[in-house]
């Protein structure tokens, strides 16, 4: 609904009843979108530890490389006692199930970015979260009806990933329209740090809920339902662009028009050739891959490490899995404020700030994840090493996560689709690779997994530190695109050259 479709008196009355600037309302709802997205995504990581029949591996009776903490035999610390809802999935199979979400998640990033650029982020984001919520609620029914046929579970998770793959491209498209440069790090960190809160809430509640109900299905019902509730409020409160918002004050609207001048009123064609040859974009992609490799290793596999190696029960597992993400959230929010302060006071340029905070978010986790594996069966020390590692990772958001907004506000959604979509490939590889490498559940096997993460963190951090940029790129301005650059016009759905504007071929 556009402003001119509503009587001025009504619009002014509603604006006065809601004194919070609408960009902050969007930031809060964007934050909750990411909270819900991660809660639905991560719910399986805790639940699967209670969905699988206890292991009868020969190593269960050999404690040389295993930790005897709490219950000395993992076959006795399951909260779910009903054998009819426990399934015989080996480690590689669990890896396939955990990674399947990211197959679909990767596929819809680029289409989601294009759709958000053409139609706005509101419906692209909203419908994606809604579909994920519906399929999350259906998960227990599918598992039970198929008697735990893992192929059906994989297919379901792929579909869930398809829905959620539009989340970040759509959010980035909306943030580019709503967030001034001076608030980019703060609001961007707030919104994207919802991933930590979603993971914290999911881990804390899931462990307690499964213990109380002795049923893993309750987790999927709860978080799927919350995703649907969020969708309803989001559709009522948020709009893709300030000019379409019926409740925005004239003061805020004028402020945003002044501060966000680099965003074109028209939908410029996508300069694919310029994107493909952009060194800062390739550096951003490298940083995204490094972060996602380490992050998805933690999200998907840390609950398994804490149960299989450190021998925590599900309630304790959920608690200790939530603490690292709480540290990451605190650092991400404070890091966003510090980053904006350093930039606004000219202690750092945008480029230096993005490089510094991105490196900080890679080197710290690389060191402390390795340290946790060498803590071996000292469970308290290992847990705090993981917490420290994830705390360092929090500066990733004010570093490279908001970098797409710096490089090109006009194509921020497309850049997010490219980088976050390709980075999601780590979510496909890491669960399966971890399952393949940790068949006996020993500290030594897991140390190999963490060494791989260490190397990837280090290499990608060096690449971004050398080639990353915080400057707006020339191809953000449609008028500066080289006349020989092939572009795609979203409105005409045609390939064109600036040189003669003649149609080369239609899609």
């Amino acid at each position: 609904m556009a402003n001119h479709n509503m009587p001025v008196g009504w619009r002014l009355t509603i604006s006065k009843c809601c004194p919070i600037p609408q960009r902050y309302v969007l930031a809060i709802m964007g934050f909750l979108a990411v909270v819900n997205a991660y809660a639905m995504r991560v719910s399986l990581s805790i639940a699967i530890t209670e969905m699988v029949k206890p292991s009868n591996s020969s190593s269960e009776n050999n404690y040389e490389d295993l930790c005897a903490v709490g219950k000395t035999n993992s076959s006795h610390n399951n909260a779910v006692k009903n054998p009819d809802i426990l399934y015989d999935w080996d480690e590689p199979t669990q890896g396939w199930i955990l990674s399947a979400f990211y197959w679909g998640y990767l596929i819809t990033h680029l289409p989601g970015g294009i759709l958000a650029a053409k139609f706005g982020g509101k419906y692209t984001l909203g419908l994606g979260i809604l579909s994920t919520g519906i399929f999350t609620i259906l998960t227990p029914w599918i598992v039970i009806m198929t008697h735990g046929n893992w192929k059906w579970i994989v297919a379901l998770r792929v579909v869930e990933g398809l829905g959620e793959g539009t989340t970040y491209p759509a959010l980035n498209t909306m943030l580019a329209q709503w967030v001034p440069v001076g608030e980019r790090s703060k609001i961007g960190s707030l919104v994207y740090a919802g991933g930590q809160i979603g993971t914290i809430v999911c881990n804390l509640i899931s462990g307690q809920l499964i213990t109380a109900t002795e049923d893993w299905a309750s987790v999927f019902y709860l978080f799927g339902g919350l995703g649907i509730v969020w969708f309803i409020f989001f559709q009522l409160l948020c709009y893709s662009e300030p000019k379409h918002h019926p409740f925005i004050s004239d003061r805020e609207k004028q402020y945003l028009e002044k501060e966000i001048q680099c965003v074109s009123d028209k939908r410029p064609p996508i300069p694919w050739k310029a994107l493909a040859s952009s060194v800062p974009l390739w550096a951003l992609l490298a940083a995204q891959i490094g972060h996602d490799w380490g992050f998805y290793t933690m999200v998907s596999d840390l609950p398994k490490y804490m149960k299989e190696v450190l021998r925590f029960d599900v309630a304790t597992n959920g608690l200790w899995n939530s603490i690292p993400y709480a540290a990451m959230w605190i650092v991400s929010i404070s890091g966003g404020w510090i980053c904006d302060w350093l930039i606004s006071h000219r202690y750092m340029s945008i480029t230096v700030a993005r490089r510094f905070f991105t490196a900080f978010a890679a080197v710290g986790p690389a060191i402390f994840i390795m340290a946790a594996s060498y803590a071996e069966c000292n469970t308290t020390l290992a847990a705090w090493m993981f917490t420290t590692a994830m705390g360092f990772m929090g500066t990733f958001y004010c570093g490279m996560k908001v970098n797409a907004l710096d490089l090109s506000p006009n194509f921020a959604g497309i850049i997010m689709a490219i980088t976050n979509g390709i980075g999601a490939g780590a979510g496909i590889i890491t669960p399966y690779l971890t399952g393949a490498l940790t068949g006996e559940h020993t500290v030594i096997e897991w140390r190999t997994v963490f060494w791989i993460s260490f190397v990837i963190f280090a290499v990608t951090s060096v690449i971004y530190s050398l080639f990353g940029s915080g400057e707006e790129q020339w191809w953000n301005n449609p008028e500066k695109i080289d006349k020989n650059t092939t572009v795609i016009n979203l409105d005409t759905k045609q390939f064109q050259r600036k040189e003669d504007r003649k149609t080369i071929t239609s899609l």
Side-chain angles (χ1 to χ4, degrees):
M1 182 188 301
N3 286 345
H4 57 75
N5 289 334
M6 176 176 286
V8 175
W10 279 102
R11 184 165 62 83
L12 292 175
T13 301
I14 294 173
S15 298
K16 291 177 180 178
C17 291
C18 184
I20 302 175
Q22 293 302 317
R23 65 185 183 279
Y24 298 145
V25 173
L26 173 68
I28 293 169
M29 292 305 295
F31 163 78
L32 293 175
V34 180
V35 168
N36 278 283
Y38 267 80
M40 291 186 287
R41 181 191 311 187
V42 173
S43 58
L44 183 63
S45 298
I46 287 287
I48 200 170
T49 66
E50 301 300 313
M51 297 169 73
V52 179
K53 291 180 180 179
S55 171
N56 292 317
S57 170
S58 60
S59 66
E60 283 292 294
N61 297 317
N62 177 8
Y63 289 96
E64 182 178 353
D65 290 322
L66 296 173
C67 301
V69 178
K71 301 292 184 179
T72 58
N73 189 329
S74 62
S75 65
H76 298 299
N77 66 353
N78 272 50
V80 178
K81 308 300 182 184
N82 182 359
D84 293 335
I85 54 174
L86 296 176
Y87 305 100
D88 190 17
W89 299 332
D90 59 20
E91 289 296 328
T93 299
Q94 292 179 54
W96 283 114
I97 293 172
L98 288 170
S99 69
F101 174 92
Y102 298 98
W103 304 352
Y105 185 69
L106 186 156
I107 291 171
T108 52
H109 263 69
L110 191 54
I114 294 174
L115 288 172
K118 182 171 177 62
F119 300 108
K122 176 176 180 176
Y123 297 110
T124 309
L125 173 62
L127 293 175
I129 297 290
L130 175 64
S131 64
T132 306
I134 292 171
F135 286 109
T136 298
I137 290 175
L138 291 176
T139 298
W141 182 79
I142 296 293
V143 173
I144 294 170
M145 289 296 294
T146 62
H147 304 289
N149 186 322
W150 67 273
K151 294 179 181 178
W152 280 96
I153 317 307
V154 165
L156 178 66
R157 291 289 289 179
V158 170
V159 173
E160 289 181 27
L162 289 171
E164 202 167 301
T166 63
T167 302
Y168 279 112
L171 265 176
N172 233 34
T173 300
M174 295 182 74
L175 292 178
Q177 296 283 348
W178 280 91
V179 180
V181 174
E183 299 178 359
R184 211 169 264 171
S185 297
K186 294 190 289 288
I187 291 182
S189 295
L190 169 65
V191 171
Y192 295 127
Q196 282 69 66
I197 299 301
T199 306
I200 292 167
V201 169
C202 183
N203 283 328
L204 274 177
I205 294 178
S206 295
Q208 299 297 329
L209 192 58
I210 293 173
T211 300
T213 61
E214 296 187 358
D215 186 1
W216 47 260
S218 53
V219 172
F220 298 100
Y221 297 141
L222 173 63
F223 293 114
L226 290 175
I228 294 173
V229 170
W230 170 88
F231 168 79
I232 295 171
F233 280 96
F234 179 71
Q235 295 303 309
L236 293 174
L237 295 174
C238 295
Y239 291 78
S240 296
E241 301 176 22
K243 64 183 179 182
H244 293 152
H245 204 301
F247 312 140
I248 190 171
S249 68
D250 291 335
R251 180 179 180 182
E252 184 182 12
K253 184 178 178 182
Q254 292 168 3
Y255 169 72
L256 293 178
E257 288 175 351
K258 177 182 177 182
E259 293 294 320
I260 312 180
Q261 296 178 359
C262 56
V263 179
S264 175
D265 290 334
K266 300 178 181 179
R267 296 188 180 97
I270 302 172
W272 292 108
K273 184 178 178 181
L275 289 169
S277 60
S278 173
V279 173
L281 179 54
W282 281 98
L284 178 58
L285 176 59
Q288 183 76 53
I289 291 172
H291 168 82
D292 283 0
W293 187 282
F295 186 73
Y296 289 140
T297 296
M298 297 289 283
V299 167
S300 297
D301 299 315
L302 186 57
K304 292 176 64 180
Y305 182 83
M306 289 191 168
K307 179 173 183 176
E308 296 172 355
V309 177
L310 300 183
R311 302 305 175 108
F312 290 156
D313 60 46
V314 68
T316 307
N317 195 341
L319 173 63
W320 277 108
N321 264 282
S322 66
I323 292 175
Y325 299 100
M328 187 176 178
W329 181 77
I330 292 170
V331 172
S332 65
I333 296 301
S334 58
W337 284 90
I338 293 170
C339 184
D340 275 344
W341 183 84
L342 290 171
I343 293 171
S344 63
H345 287 75
R346 301 185 183 278
Y347 292 116
M348 286 185 177
S349 67
I350 296 176
T351 295
V352 172
R354 300 296 184 238
R355 291 178 178 179
F356 173 78
F357 284 101
T358 299
F360 197 77
V363 175
I367 294 172
F368 284 97
I369 287 174
M370 282 305 308
S373 73
Y374 283 97
E376 298 184 340
C377 294
N378 186 333
T379 55
T380 301
L381 180 59
W384 284 114
M385 289 297 100
F386 283 127
T387 299
T388 305
M390 295 301 287
F392 275 98
M393 203 179 289
T395 61
F396 155 81
Y397 292 97
C398 63
M400 54 88 35
K401 195 66 175 179
V402 298
N403 193 207
L405 299 173
D406 301 321
L407 298 180
S408 177
N410 278 318
F411 304 110
I414 298 298
I415 295 173
M416 179 64 78
I418 294 170
T419 57
N420 211 62
I422 295 176
I428 297 174
I429 298 171
T430 55
Y432 181 76
L433 180 63
T434 300
L437 293 175
T438 59
E440 298 300 318
H441 317 312
T442 67
V443 174
I444 302 301
E445 289 177 331
W446 277 92
R447 189 172 295 155
T448 301
V449 173
F450 295 141
W451 265 114
I452 293 171
S453 296
F454 180 95
V455 172
I456 293 174
F457 265 133
V459 172
T460 56
S461 176
V462 169
I463 293 172
Y464 188 79
S465 295
L466 292 175
F467 302 109
S469 174
E471 302 301 318
E472 181 184 329
Q473 299 300 292
W474 63 268
W475 38 263
N476 178 64
N477 187 340
E479 299 302 321
K480 294 182 181 179
I481 296 176
D482 187 86
K483 64 181 181 179
N484 293 319
T485 298
T486 301
V487 297
I488 292 181
N489 190 307
L490 292 175
D491 294 320
T492 63
K493 297 183 179 180
Q494 293 175 329
F495 287 113
Q496 295 179 319
R497 289 192 185 276
K498 285 275 192 172
E499 187 175 27
D500 53 14
R501 287 304 202 184
K502 291 180 180 179
T503 301
I504 295 177
T505 183
S506 59
L507 291 174

